[in-house]
């Protein structure tokens, strides 16, 4: 069984051989972030594919934010490069959730959190805890949190 990390390493090797500088740079930075995550904390550990997806999602988000910043700063070429690197990384992420899919998952999680007795801010935390494994890499945390708060306010 090939792990996501080893797939990225193999793709990096292929990108280097093909002289695909953009892909190679994006994959190299992502592998560095994965390695940093593995050695962070008191003890080094091997990341699961789920953890690797979280790192990739974080790296892709950084690219989107950097592209926006470069665009606002009038540096169009740099913004395009950041977007292109983000596209390379998005190929390793699961399909993003549609608004309908996210709403359904949130409704389910909120109902479960309330059934477990959570109320107010505790219900937000409980629902987020339930949702995290289901939405990792498929929806940004801020988007999920806003949806949870809407659901709790309306229900």
């Amino acid at each position: 069984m090939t792990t996501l990390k080893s797939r990225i390493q193999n793709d990096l090797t292929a990108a280097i051989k093909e002289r695909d500088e953009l892909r190679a740079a994006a994959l190299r930075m992502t592998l560095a972030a994965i390695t940093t995550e593995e050695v962070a904390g008191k003890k080094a550990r091997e990341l699961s594919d789920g953890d690797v997806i979280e790192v990739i999602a974080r790296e892709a988000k950084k690219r989107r934010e950097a592209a926006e910043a470069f665009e606002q700063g009038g540096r169009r070429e740099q913004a395009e490069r950041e977007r292109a690197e983000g596209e390379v990384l998005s190929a390793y992420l699961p399909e993003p959730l549609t608004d309908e899919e996210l709403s359904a998952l949130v409704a389910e999680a909120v109902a479960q959190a309330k059934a477990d007795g959570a109320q107010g801010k505790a219900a937000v935390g409980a629902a987020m805890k339930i949702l995290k494994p289901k939405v990792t890499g498929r929806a940004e945390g801020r988007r999920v949190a806003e949806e949870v708060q809407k659901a709790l306010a309306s229900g």
Side-chain angles (χ1 to χ4, degrees), residues 15 63 123:
R63 300 302 182 288

Side-chain angles (χ1 to χ4, degrees), residues 7 21-24 32 35-36 45 68 75 114-115 133 139 149:
R7 187 176 135 212
E21 193 269 330
L22 178 93
R23 257 182 81 216
T35 302
T36 300
R45 63 192 172 98
E68 287 173 23
R75 296 181 61 193
K114 284 182 176 178
Q149 289 169 346

Side-chain angles (χ1 to χ4, degrees), residues 46-76:
E46 186 77 23
L47 296 183
S48 69
D49 279 355
D51 294 333
V52 172
I53 286 173
E54 280 184 44
V55 173
I56 295 169
R58 201 168 44 234
E59 290 297 308
K61 182 179 179 188
K62 285 181 192 174
R63 300 302 182 288
R64 282 193 303 276
E65 290 170 350
E68 287 173 23
F70 282 127
E71 196 72 50
Q72 289 170 357
R75 296 181 61 193
R76 203 171 206 90

